[in-house]
Amino acid sequence: MPTDEADRYGLVGAPPSDELQSLSHLAASIFGAPGAAVTIFTATSEHRIAATGTEPSVCALGESLCSQVELDDAVVVPDARRDPRLAGHPTVVSRPGIRFYATAPMRSPDGVLVGQLCVFDHRPRRTSDAQRDALGFLAARATDILELRLRTRQLSASLDELTQTRDELARSNVALSHFAAQVSHDLRNPLMAVRANAEVLAGEPAVREDPELAAAVERIADAARGMAAMIHDVLSVAQEGGRPTWQDVDLREVVDRVLLDLSPLVRQADAQVVVEDLPVVRADPALLYSVLLNLLDNSLKFTRHGVPPQVRVHAVARPGWWRICVTDNGAGVPPGHEHEVFLPFVRARGEGVAGAAGHGIGLATVHRVVTAHGGRVGLEPSPETGTRAWFELPVDAPAADRHDAT
């Protein structure tokens, strides 16, 4: 048999197997013979890996008595000196010499000859069919032991690999947690400055005397406060163990707040935004704000030259799900890139369009947040021109939420 077939069992050169040694003893006992052996073949050698009445050994394949007999099933030779296949073999003609010989093949599940289980004696023997059948049965069990040993080794290797993956994931989670904390610190400082300056401006007489200016300054302060809260909530999901804070959320109120914060961009782009009836869902309001902010911001930024953006926000009821859609008439996403844009730092639209450049973080955040809610997210071409971004949220509260409620 091929060398690699023997090597994959890991028995050549290994210490004797207690299970195979027990089978060897049992085979000898069934025949009342003094000797038995379990052998494994390589391309050039016979390895006696378990033995009774003799020692484990290695010999050239041509010198092996087992290699002289072609096997389809168990074979019993009552007197080897009277068998033309074995009569001239050195182990038979020598003294005391082998006279009785019985052997059965050990085949892998693929039918490859792995080795043989043989029984021998220095005097002739008569045997029964039951003894021959028992030898075939024991040879099959010897193969089972080899397969079990192989599967155990493979399982051990898989466990080692899983352990390494788990350790690497733990290190990555620690690194992500540290990164999230650093990003939180770096983003909050300028937001605090914006909020502080807005509060200072709100106290200026010129601002207090101009209602429109005062309202604009208040919107800046509100946006800074909302952005700080959103950064905290989104980054908490990025950290190990971060979970949404579940409550009933009116999506129409969330969209209205997003459009208020994006109102300068809406006016600048001369955009038309239509918001249809939206449901109340079980979710984290701050995290859903970040989802809708990113989707609407993309629809308002990534436009076609000279074409004012038209955006439609609507919901579709599906069995067990709410699908929320943001459809635009913008530049669209190149075919084949609909999935990769949800990876961090990947951008598939923005070049050659009227929109501003970005960092490829927004849709990755959308994916992470929606996934944390037990939902799904995707992009597809809109029915006419542009893109339809959608995300789905389960109608029922997630299992973890129901558990917490109890």
Side-chain angles (χ1 to χ4, degrees):
M1 86 180 179
T3 304
D4 57 356
E5 188 70 19
D7 289 345
R8 77 187 188 98
Y9 285 108
L11 288 173
V12 175
S17 165
D18 290 341
E19 296 86 355
L20 293 176
Q21 191 67 47
S22 296
L23 282 181
S24 174
H25 294 333
L26 182 57
S29 176
I30 288 174
F31 284 89
V38 177
T39 63
I40 291 288
F41 298 145
T42 68
T44 59
S45 304
E46 175 194 301
H47 295 256
R48 187 176 293 177
I49 58 175
T52 300
T54 184
E55 294 295 326
S57 62
V58 180
C59 68
L61 197 58
E63 300 174 1
S64 165
L65 191 64
C66 294
S67 65
Q68 309 303 311
V69 180
E70 294 184 4
L71 295 177
D72 290 324
D73 201 351
V75 172
V76 176
V77 180
D79 188 345
R81 289 185 179 180
R82 298 179 180 275
D83 190 293
R85 297 167 296 181
L86 306 179
H89 195 274
T91 60
V92 175
V93 299
S94 63
R95 293 188 179 276
I98 291 177
R99 299 292 298 276
F100 171 76
Y101 178 72
T103 185
M106 296 163 48
R107 296 188 181 275
S108 72
D110 296 332
V112 177
L113 182 63
V114 175
Q116 293 176 218
L117 173 61
C118 57
V119 180
F120 45 87
D121 196 353
H122 298 300
R123 60 186 180 87
R125 283 182 172 274
R126 292 189 177 277
T127 60
S128 66
D129 290 342
Q131 288 173 309
R132 191 184 74 164
D133 292 343
L135 183 64
F137 176 82
L138 292 181
R141 301 294 74 75
T143 306
D144 291 341
I145 291 173
L146 297 185
E147 286 294 318
L148 179 60
R149 182 186 179 110
L150 173 62
R151 299 296 179 261
T152 301
R153 289 172 56 214
Q154 292 173 337
L155 178 60
S156 178
S158 297
L159 288 175
D160 290 342
E161 183 177 350
L162 287 174
T163 299
Q164 293 175 2
T165 301
R166 180 203 62 192
D167 294 343
E168 182 60 32
L169 180 59
R171 287 191 293 269
S172 297
N173 283 334
V174 171
L176 178 59
S177 179
H178 292 165
F179 171 75
Q182 184 63 46
V183 169
S184 176
H185 176 271
D186 292 345
L187 292 180
R188 281 175 179 166
N189 284 343
L191 282 174
M192 290 176 61
V194 170
R195 178 179 173 184
N197 283 293
E199 292 174 351
V200 170
L201 282 175
E204 293 293 324
V207 174
R208 291 201 305 267
E209 294 171 3
D210 187 334
E212 185 175 346
L213 185 57
V217 171
E218 181 61 26
R219 285 198 298 271
I220 293 173
D222 285 343
R225 285 191 289 268
M227 186 64 71
M230 184 190 72
I231 289 171
H232 174 271
D233 291 337
V234 171
L235 291 179
S236 71
V237 176
Q239 296 180 24
E240 184 179 9
R243 294 180 179 177
T245 300
W246 303 98
Q247 62 186 74
D248 292 333
V249 180
D250 187 333
L251 283 178
R252 180 57 190 253
E253 293 181 359
V254 177
V255 171
D256 288 345
R257 179 184 163 200
V258 169
L259 291 176
L260 180 63
D261 291 340
L262 292 177
S263 57
L265 182 57
V266 173
R267 290 193 298 269
Q268 179 184 358
D270 192 22
Q272 179 183 355
V273 181
V274 177
V275 182
E276 301 181 3
D277 290 340
L278 297 176
V280 173
V281 296
R282 189 72 176 169
D284 186 310
L287 295 181
L288 284 194
Y289 172 89
S290 71
V291 169
L292 289 162
L293 177 68
N294 278 294
L295 296 182
L296 285 165
D297 183 63
N298 282 348
S299 293
L300 294 171
K301 288 195 308 185
F302 296 106
T303 61
R304 290 176 290 150
H305 288 291
V307 180
Q310 295 181 358
V311 183
R312 175 183 174 227
V313 183
H314 71 285
V316 178
R318 298 192 166 194
W321 300 86
W322 278 109
R323 172 173 282 204
I324 314 303
C325 302
V326 178
T327 306
D328 62 51
N329 64 338
V333 175
H337 294 271
E338 294 87 353
H339 299 290
E340 68 181 35
V341 293
F342 291 102
L343 299 175
F345 311 114
V346 173
R347 297 179 63 249
R349 62 180 181 176
E351 297 181 4
V353 301
H359 299 288
I361 300 177
L363 289 181
T365 300
V366 169
H367 181 271
R368 181 177 291 275
V369 170
V370 173
T371 301
H373 282 77
R376 300 173 292 215
V377 62
L379 289 179
E380 59 190 33
S382 67
E384 297 177 358
T385 301
T387 300
R388 171 172 290 167
W390 56 266
F391 63 94
E392 292 182 338
L393 298 176
V395 171
D396 294 330
D401 184 31
R402 294 196 298 269
H403 177 73
D404 292 342
T406 59

